[in-house]
Amino acid sequence: MSNFKSFILGKAQNLYDPKIFHKLALTAFFAWVGLGADGLSSSAYGPEEAFLALHGHIYLSIFVVLGTVITILVISKSYSQIIEQFPTGGGGYLVASKLLSPTVGMISGSALLIDYVLTISISIASCADAVFSFLPREWFEYRLAFAVFALLILGVMNLRGVKESVSALVPIFLTFVITHVIVLGYAIFTHVANFKDVAGAVTTDIQLAHQEIGLFGMLFVILRAYSMGAGTFTGIEAVSNGMPILREPRVETAKRTMRYMAISLSVVVAGLMLSYLFYSVEHQPGKTLNAVLFEKITTEWGGGGLANTFLYVTLFSEAVLLFAAAQAGFLDGPRILSNMATDRWFPSKFSILSDRLVTQNGVLLMGGAALITMLATGGSVKYLVVLYSINVFITFVLSQLGMVRHWWIERSK
């Protein structure tokens, strides 16, 4: 059994190796892959849920795009300050505990734990949706089984160690970035001449929505779409929670990672929602909006062998990045558990490292909870995204409230 465990999880790390931390810690680039994949991959379901929530008033999505990009930039700037104030990690949990109260911190930590369980569930469920978007329709019934299998594989990878689980995802992450830059760049630059028409359509849509549902109804539709796309924001806080696994100087590494995440996420989300408008993308059963969009674009390229290959590579990279996004839940969830265990909100065994120098009990708990959530919801992204939005905003609100109180006190000095 010992040999079997070593084969699956790897041999024990040598604690007396003076270079062990340097070998295991993540640079800004690897942190962008391991932690930023959560935020960047949310472009596979966040913009789609926001766009569909507009119920036909698609040109109102311009306001959702503006709100989303502004929110990403504000949250990333705020969490850069949290990183400076709490360089040992802990993020929203420590902010609320230290700057508000231990009980509020416990609420924030609980919301974060649920958030990371849902990060694992929704990322892998969305990964399954992306994969089965380009497979025969009759295979769709195996989607949930595929999602469960993918979750188990990722759990084993994380029991082996953080660096190993991240390094394997670098080629896929870069493929996602390159293919999406090409597709979105093409979609926007070939429709630059249509910006005036889009502006006119936005004005018309505003007037029509105002006549149909009134000013407050229109605002409600925009805000509901914005909140349904709230999954887009999750992952931004992952860097502040995962400080212990970053390479020194940690604060600078974390802030650089945060910039990578904020810029890449803003560009991809804004590009996707604008492209939905330009190509009048509509929901098709068994396919994601991104799959429909990419099919339309590659059809313009002639739809031949090269275009189809590019389409499949793009969708495959999106699917695997969603698989990688679940990594953030396995990276940061156990660390929140460890911090809460240190404060006696959880049993102390959740703060103990295994011989692979990972918080094994935390990984097992997060993976088990995600598996239960996946089975209970049938892997439904539409269901999971609502739960996701609630917990994302609880954590953000408490973190921002803590930092506001901090600066309010500091300003007197």
Side-chain angles (χ1 to χ4, degrees):
M1 287 302 295
S2 178
N3 290 337
F4 179 72
K5 177 189 172 185
S6 297
F7 174 74
I8 298 296
L9 303 184
K11 294 180 180 179
Q13 298 284 2
N14 180 13
L15 291 174
Y16 298 101
D17 182 357
K19 298 180 181 178
I20 186 68
F21 178 76
H22 187 76
K23 288 192 290 187
L24 296 179
L26 303 179
T27 62
F29 175 77
F30 280 109
W32 182 39
V33 175
L35 301 174
D38 178 19
L40 196 55
S41 69
S42 64
S43 61
Y45 53 84
E48 175 176 348
E49 293 300 327
F51 196 76
L52 293 175
L54 291 168
H55 297 297
H57 295 289
I58 60 173
Y59 289 96
L60 296 180
S61 62
I62 293 294
F63 300 107
V64 180
V65 170
L66 289 174
T68 300
V69 171
I70 290 171
T71 304
I72 291 170
L73 297 179
V74 168
I75 291 174
S76 62
K77 181 63 177 176
S78 172
Y79 271 93
S80 292
Q81 294 182 359
I82 291 174
I83 286 166
E84 293 175 350
Q85 295 297 320
F86 298 93
T88 57
Y93 168 67
L94 276 186
V95 171
S97 297
K98 303 296 184 185
L99 301 180
L100 296 175
S101 77
T103 303
V104 174
M106 180 270 292
I107 294 170
S108 180
S110 299
L112 267 172
L113 289 175
I114 297 171
D115 184 18
Y116 285 128
V117 167
L118 291 169
T119 291
I120 299 170
S121 301
I122 198 171
S123 297
I124 293 180
S126 191
C127 165
D129 286 348
V131 168
F132 283 82
S133 286
F134 57 88
L135 292 177
R137 286 290 304 279
E138 56 269 19
W139 291 16
F140 193 76
E141 61 183 285
Y142 302 110
R143 183 183 63 89
L144 182 59
F146 172 84
V148 169
F149 178 73
L151 195 157
L152 295 175
I153 292 294
L154 192 59
V156 171
M157 288 173 64
N158 277 274
L159 289 173
R160 289 183 64 87
V162 171
K163 190 69 173 283
E164 292 192 30
S165 60
V166 171
S167 299
L169 302 170
V170 172
I172 297 298
F173 185 86
L174 292 178
T175 301
F176 174 93
V177 172
I178 293 169
T179 54
H180 281 66
V181 165
I182 292 172
V183 169
L184 299 179
Y186 172 85
I188 291 172
F189 285 116
T190 55
H191 289 80
V192 168
N194 297 347
F195 275 14
K196 187 179 292 186
D197 296 335
V198 171
V202 170
T203 303
T204 303
D205 208 2
I206 291 173
Q207 293 172 348
L208 182 61
H210 188 274
Q211 291 174 1
E212 289 180 354
I213 55 180
L215 177 61
F216 287 108
M218 183 172 64
L219 290 174
F220 179 81
V221 167
I222 293 171
L223 288 173
R224 182 176 183 276
Y226 168 83
S227 64
M228 288 298 288
T232 304
F233 310 130
T234 191
I236 299 176
E237 83 291 343
V239 180
S240 66
N241 294 325
M243 292 290 287
I245 62 173
L246 301 184
R247 185 167 293 180
E248 297 287 358
R250 285 178 180 170
V251 171
E252 290 304 313
T253 300
K255 290 171 73 174
R256 192 177 303 117
T257 304
M258 189 71 74
R259 285 195 293 272
Y260 293 165
M261 289 172 62
I263 294 169
S264 57
L265 182 57
S266 298
V267 169
V268 172
V269 169
L272 279 170
M273 293 199 73
L274 289 174
S275 299
Y276 293 160
L277 279 182
F278 295 148
Y279 284 89
S280 301
V281 174
E282 295 179 352
H283 174 67
Q284 294 182 17
K287 290 186 178 181
T288 63
L289 283 192
N290 285 4
V292 176
L293 171 65
F294 299 154
E295 278 186 4
K296 289 193 172 193
I297 291 174
T298 52
T299 300
E300 283 189 1
W301 297 350
L306 188 60
N308 284 335
T309 300
F310 182 87
L311 170 64
Y312 292 136
V313 168
T314 304
L315 289 174
F316 180 75
S317 69
E318 188 176 275
V320 179
L321 191 68
L322 283 160
F323 176 76
Q327 177 72 5
F330 280 114
L331 287 179
D332 284 342
R335 300 195 183 282
I336 297 297
L337 273 169
S338 178
N339 285 326
M340 294 182 75
T342 302
D343 294 337
R344 295 297 183 265
W345 290 114
F346 273 89
S348 58
K349 63 182 178 182
F350 285 103
S351 63
I352 298 172
L353 297 178
S354 70
D355 58 10
R356 292 291 297 177
L357 302 186
V358 296
T359 45
Q360 179 174 296
N361 292 318
V363 170
L364 291 172
L365 180 62
M366 299 301 291
L371 179 61
I372 293 170
T373 306
M374 181 81 71
L375 295 173
T377 61
S380 170
V381 173
K382 287 187 178 297
Y383 187 87
L384 288 167
V385 78
V386 177
L387 302 176
Y388 209 17
S389 302
I390 294 169
N391 288 279
V392 167
F393 279 122
I394 288 174
T395 302
F396 285 157
V397 166
L398 295 178
S399 298
Q400 308 312 304
L401 185 60
M403 289 306 293
V404 165
R405 185 172 184 270
H406 167 76
W407 291 120
W408 189 264
I409 295 171
E410 288 293 315
R411 69 195 291 268
S412 63
K413 301 178 183 179

